[in-house]
Amino acid sequence: MLSLKSGHLLFESELVTDLFGNEEQVNMVFYAERNTLLIAAQSKTFFAKLHKTNWTALKLRNPKGDKTIFLRDLLMDNDLDESDRILNYQIKNTGIIEIHLEN
C-alpha cells in the first residue's frame, strides 16, 4: 500500500522491497499537467536520463521496513491536496512507480 500521511509519501515495506530493494536514494519527477509523480531507484540510470529528476533519500519509518519521502513542499508548490489518504499508483515493468496526486 502507498499513502500520504502528514506530508510524507509512505511506502509499506513490501512495496519498498519490490521497487527499491536495499537502495536508500531515489530519483523522482513531478508532471504538474497530469498531477503525476514518477519515482525510481537511483540505480535506474535510464530514468534520470529520460526525465529531469531530483534525487531524495528514503527515510526508514519503523522496524517493519516501511519508508517515507517528504512531499509537503511539492504538494504546497502545486496546490495539491495535502490530506492523509491512500494513493492510486501503477508500477511499470521498468521498475518505475507512477503515482497520481489529485488536487
Side-chain angles (χ1 to χ4, degrees), residues 55-102:
W55 73 269
T56 190
L58 287 167
K59 305 279 183 166
L60 186 62
R61 177 160 172 101
N62 57 36
K64 286 188 340 187
D66 297 345
K67 293 193 177 185
T68 64
I69 295 173
F70 183 71
L71 282 188
R72 181 167 284 132
D73 292 343
L74 182 138
L75 298 171
M76 290 173 53
D77 290 348
N78 292 282
D79 294 322
L80 296 169
D81 182 5
E82 295 180 50
S83 63
D84 293 355
R85 63 190 186 279
I86 295 174
L87 297 171
N88 294 322
Y89 66 91
Q90 292 179 306
I91 299 173
K92 308 293 185 182
N93 11 349
T94 55
I96 297 168
I97 184 169
E98 179 180 305
I99 304 160
H100 305 284
L101 300 170
E102 298 84 20

Side-chain angles (χ1 to χ4, degrees), residues 8-73:
H8 289 80
L9 190 57
L10 174 60
F11 295 88
E12 287 191 345
S13 61
E14 297 82 22
L15 192 54
V16 170
T17 302
D18 291 346
L19 288 171
F20 311 122
N22 293 327
E23 294 193 48
E24 297 295 323
Q25 296 177 341
V26 296
N27 285 318
M28 61 185 213
V29 61
F30 179 70
Y31 289 106
E33 65 277 0
R34 299 185 319 236
N35 290 334
T36 301
L37 179 66
L38 302 176
I39 302 174
Q42 197 167 37
S43 64
K44 305 233 182 253
T45 54
F46 70 90
F47 179 68
K49 290 178 183 176
L50 289 174
H51 304 275
K52 187 175 179 179
T53 63
N54 295 310
W55 73 269
T56 190
L58 287 167
K59 305 279 183 166
L60 186 62
R61 177 160 172 101
N62 57 36
K64 286 188 340 187
D66 297 345
K67 293 193 177 185
T68 64
I69 295 173
F70 183 71
L71 282 188
R72 181 167 284 132
D73 292 343

